[in-house]
């Protein structure tokens, strides 16, 4: 699949750059090169005075400096003439989002609350392992879906993140960790999970544009096999995502009966379990080597019985699946408690005995409010208190 369309100077007017996501309602300013794809960078070079016949080359060079080298100033871009660098500097910036808060847990988990130019904030979390690590990024500011176990669901949706803001989360994390230029291997940001704030399939166009930049082998270079998109079940977009992006899929399932899932994950009222699982069976990018992950948060006496586990096994029949059991990470005012260790182990054993891998996720970063949305709520409260 060609993810980056070819640049054709003739049919792409320079003004296209002003269509870059991130204007007044977006977070990164419209003249910021961060988040632009090759076509947009080529058009930016033309806007800065480059000859249209050189645009494609300049777009490629800018792409390399931004996403392979992590350049934070035009002066670093030594393969581009001084003259053009000066003109780019006059017209464009390379500004990252600000950081309202950055916390590091005793276990190494690091969490950023990023602040965009319009003052909106979103979270990114890095979960390091010994020789790799996953970065969990957000796709929206807040979320409309009000899943009853999720802290982000208590924050009203403010807006979608732009493609630039989604890409910028990775760049800020790489700046902090010092992972420039893009290493060939032994990366500490080896995997990306779209599992932070928001429902990525309700912001699909921006997510697609961002992932196209992120997956490009000449830039940030994180392959589709190392990217997982987690959805609560926006069924009509699931097939499109598999066909166009081919990333791994995770489903926030959390319940095996529609009555309960209607409460835990209310989008279930629109796309019930049967339809969701059919979309999983049809997902173009799944096979035995790339199983679909079913996320299942363990809520005490709510969804954690042996009968629930057996029903889960029945539902998953015929789907290349693995199950992630997530001990509930309580947040202040949460209406649920975490299942007991005994209930979690019983549930895991039933699913495992049926042939599905069912690891229990080890809680990470509990000392830094790592449950999705908590850091943002704390920041909003602190600002309210400061202005009172
Ligand atoms: S679990 Fe995901 S989809 Fe549901 S409210 Fe939270 S962020 Fe939104």
């Amino acid at each position: 699949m060609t993810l980056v369309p070819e640049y054709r100077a003739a049919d792409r007017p320079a003004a296209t750059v002003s269509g870059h996501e991130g204007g007044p309602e977006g977070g990164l300013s419209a003249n910021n090169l961060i988040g632009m794809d090759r076509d947009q960078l080529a058009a930016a070079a033309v806007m800065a005075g480059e000859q249209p016949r050189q645009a494609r080359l300049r777009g490629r060079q800018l792409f390399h400096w931004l996403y392979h080298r992590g350049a934070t100033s035009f002066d670093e871009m030594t393969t581009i003439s001084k003259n053009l660098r000066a003109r780019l500097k006059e017209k464009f910036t390379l500004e990252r989002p600000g950081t309202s808060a950055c916390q590091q847990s005793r276990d190494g988990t690091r969490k950023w609350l990023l602040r965009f130019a319009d003052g909106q904030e979103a979270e990114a979390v890095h979960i390091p392992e010994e020789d790799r690590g996953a970065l969990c990024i957000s796709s929206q500011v807040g979320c409309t879906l009000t899943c009853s176990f999720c802290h982000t669901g208590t924050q009203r949706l403010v807006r979608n993140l732009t493609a630039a803001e989604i890409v910028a989360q990775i760049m800020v994390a790489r700046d902090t960790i010092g992972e420039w230029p893009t290493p060939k291997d032994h990366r500490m940001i080896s995997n990306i999970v779209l599992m932070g704030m928001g429902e990525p399939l309700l912001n699909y166009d921006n997510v697609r544009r961002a992932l196209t930049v992120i997956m490009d082998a000449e830039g940030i270079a994180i392959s589709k096999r190392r990217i997982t998109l987690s959805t609560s079940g926006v069924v009509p977009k699931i097939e499109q995502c598999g066909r166009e992006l081919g990333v791994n899929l995770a489903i926030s399932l959390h319940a095996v009966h529609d009555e309960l899932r209607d409460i835990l994950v209310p989008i279930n009222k629109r796309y019930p379990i049967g339809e969701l699982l059919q979309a999983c069976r049809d997902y173009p990018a799944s096979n035995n080597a790339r199983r679909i992950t079913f996320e299942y948060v363990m809520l005490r006496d709510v969804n954690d019985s042996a009968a629930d586990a057996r029903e889960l096994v029945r539902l998953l029949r015929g789907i290349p699946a693995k199950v992630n059991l997530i001990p509930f990470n309580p947040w202040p005012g949460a209406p649920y408690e975490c299942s007991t260790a005994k209930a979690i182990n019983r549930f895991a054993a039933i699913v495992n005995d049926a042939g599905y891998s069912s690891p229990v996720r080890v809680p990470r970063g509990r000392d830094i409010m790592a449950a999705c949305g908590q850091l943002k709520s704390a920041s909003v409260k602190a600002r309210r208190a400061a202005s009172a």
Side-chain angles (χ1 to χ4, degrees), residues 17-32 34 117-118 159 161-165 206 209:
V17 167
S18 61
H20 174 54
E21 300 290 319
E25 60 295 312
L28 297 185
S29 60
N31 62 349
N32 194 334
I34 301 290
D118 64 353
R159 64 172 172 83
L161 290 180
T162 64
E165 290 163 341
N206 285 321
R209 277 199 285 271

Coordinates of all heavy atoms in Angstrom, one line a residue, residues 17-32 34 117-118 159 161-165 206 209:
V17 N -0.5 24.4 1.9 CA 0.1 24.4 3.3 C -0.8 25.1 4.3 O -0.9 24.6 5.4 CB 1.5 25.1 3.2 CG1 1.9 25.4 4.6 CG2 2.5 24.3 2.5
S18 N -1.6 26.1 3.8 CA -2.4 26.7 4.8 C -3.6 25.8 5.2 O -4.2 26.0 6.2 CB -3.0 28.0 4.2 OG -3.8 27.7 3.1
G19 N -3.7 24.7 4.5 CA -4.7 23.7 4.9 C -4.2 22.7 6.0 O -4.9 21.9 6.4
H20 N -2.9 22.9 6.4 CA -2.3 22.1 7.4 C -3.1 22.2 8.7 O -3.5 23.3 9.1 CB -0.9 22.6 7.6 CG -0.2 22.0 8.8 ND1 0.0 20.6 8.9 CD2 0.4 22.5 9.8 CE1 0.7 20.4 10.0 NE2 1.0 21.5 10.6
E21 N -3.4 21.0 9.2 CA -4.3 21.0 10.4 C -3.6 21.9 11.5 O -2.4 21.8 11.7 CB -4.4 19.6 11.0 CG -5.0 18.6 10.0 CD -6.4 18.8 9.8 OE1 -7.1 19.1 10.8 OE2 -6.8 18.7 8.6
G22 N -4.4 22.6 12.2 CA -3.8 23.3 13.3 C -4.0 24.8 13.3 O -3.2 25.5 13.8
G23 N -5.0 25.3 12.7 CA -5.2 26.7 12.6 C -5.7 27.2 14.0 O -5.4 26.6 15.0
P24 N -6.6 28.2 14.0 CA -7.0 28.8 15.2 C -7.7 27.8 16.1 O -7.5 27.8 17.4 CB -8.0 29.8 14.8 CG -7.7 30.1 13.3 CD -7.0 28.9 12.8
E25 N -8.5 26.8 15.5 CA -9.1 25.9 16.4 C -8.2 24.7 16.7 O -8.5 23.9 17.6 CB -10.5 25.4 15.9 CG -10.6 24.7 14.6 CD -10.2 25.6 13.4 OE1 -10.7 26.7 13.3 OE2 -9.4 25.1 12.6
G26 N -7.1 24.6 16.0 CA -6.1 23.5 16.3 C -5.1 23.9 17.2 O -5.1 25.1 17.7
G27 N -4.2 23.0 17.6 CA -3.2 23.3 18.7 C -1.9 23.8 18.2 O -1.3 24.8 18.7
L28 N -1.4 23.2 17.1 CA -0.1 23.7 16.6 C -0.5 24.8 15.5 O -1.4 24.6 14.7 CB 0.7 22.6 16.0 CG 1.1 21.5 16.9 CD1 2.0 20.5 16.2 CD2 1.9 22.1 18.1
S29 N 0.3 25.8 15.4 CA 0.0 26.9 14.5 C 0.1 26.4 13.0 O 0.8 25.5 12.7 CB 0.8 28.1 14.8 OG 2.2 27.8 14.6
A30 N -0.6 27.1 12.2 CA -0.7 26.7 10.8 C 0.6 26.8 10.1 O 0.8 26.2 9.0 CB -1.8 27.6 10.0
N31 N 1.5 27.7 10.6 CA 2.8 27.8 9.9 C 3.9 26.9 10.6 O 5.1 27.1 10.4 CB 3.3 29.3 9.9 CG 3.5 29.8 11.3 OD1 3.1 29.2 12.3 ND2 4.1 31.0 11.4
N32 N 3.5 25.9 11.4 CA 4.4 25.0 12.0 C 4.6 23.8 11.1 O 3.6 23.2 10.7 CB 3.8 24.6 13.4 CG 4.8 23.9 14.2 OD1 5.8 23.3 13.7 ND2 4.6 23.9 15.5
I34 N 5.9 20.9 12.0 CA 5.7 19.7 12.7 C 4.4 19.1 12.4 O 3.4 19.7 12.5 CB 5.8 19.9 14.2 CG1 7.1 20.5 14.7 CG2 5.5 18.6 15.0 CD1 8.3 19.6 14.5
A117 N -1.3 25.2 21.5 CA -1.3 26.6 21.4 C -2.6 27.2 21.9 O -2.7 28.4 22.4 CB -0.9 27.1 20.0
D118 N -3.7 26.5 21.7 CA -5.0 27.1 22.1 C -5.3 26.8 23.6 O -6.4 27.0 24.1 CB -6.1 26.5 21.2 CG -6.3 25.0 21.4 OD1 -5.5 24.4 22.0 OD2 -7.3 24.5 20.8
R159 N -12.2 18.8 21.7 CA -12.0 18.8 20.3 C -11.2 17.6 19.9 O -10.5 16.9 20.7 CB -11.4 20.1 19.8 CG -10.0 20.3 20.2 CD -9.4 21.6 19.5 NE -8.1 21.9 20.1 CZ -7.0 21.4 19.8 NH1 -6.9 20.4 18.9 NH2 -5.9 21.8 20.3
L161 N -7.9 16.0 18.2 CA -6.5 16.4 18.0 C -6.3 16.4 16.5 O -6.8 15.6 15.8 CB -5.5 15.5 18.7 CG -5.5 15.6 20.3 CD1 -4.5 14.6 20.8 CD2 -5.2 17.0 20.7
T162 N -5.4 17.4 16.1 CA -5.1 17.4 14.7 C -4.0 16.3 14.4 O -3.4 15.8 15.3 CB -4.5 18.8 14.3 OG1 -3.3 19.0 15.0 CG2 -5.4 19.9 14.6
A163 N -3.8 16.1 13.1 CA -2.7 15.1 12.8 C -1.4 15.6 13.4 O -0.6 14.8 13.9 CB -2.6 15.0 11.3
A164 N -1.1 16.9 13.3 CA 0.1 17.5 13.8 C 0.3 17.2 15.3 O 1.3 16.9 15.8 CB 0.2 19.0 13.5
E165 N -0.8 17.4 16.0 CA -0.7 17.2 17.5 C -0.6 15.7 17.8 O 0.0 15.4 18.9 CB -2.0 17.7 18.1 CG -2.1 19.3 18.0 CD -3.5 19.8 18.3 OE1 -4.5 19.0 18.1 OE2 -3.6 21.0 18.6
N206 N -7.7 12.4 10.9 CA -6.5 13.0 11.5 C -5.6 11.8 11.9 O -4.3 11.9 11.8 CB -6.8 13.9 12.7 CG -7.3 15.2 12.2 OD1 -6.8 15.8 11.2 ND2 -8.3 15.8 12.9
R209 N -3.8 10.4 8.9 CA -2.8 11.3 8.4 C -1.5 11.2 9.3 O -0.4 11.1 8.9 CB -3.2 12.8 8.3 CG -4.0 13.1 7.0 CD -4.0 14.6 6.8 NE -5.0 15.2 7.7 CZ -6.3 15.4 7.4 NH1 -6.7 15.0 6.2 NH2 -7.1 15.9 8.2

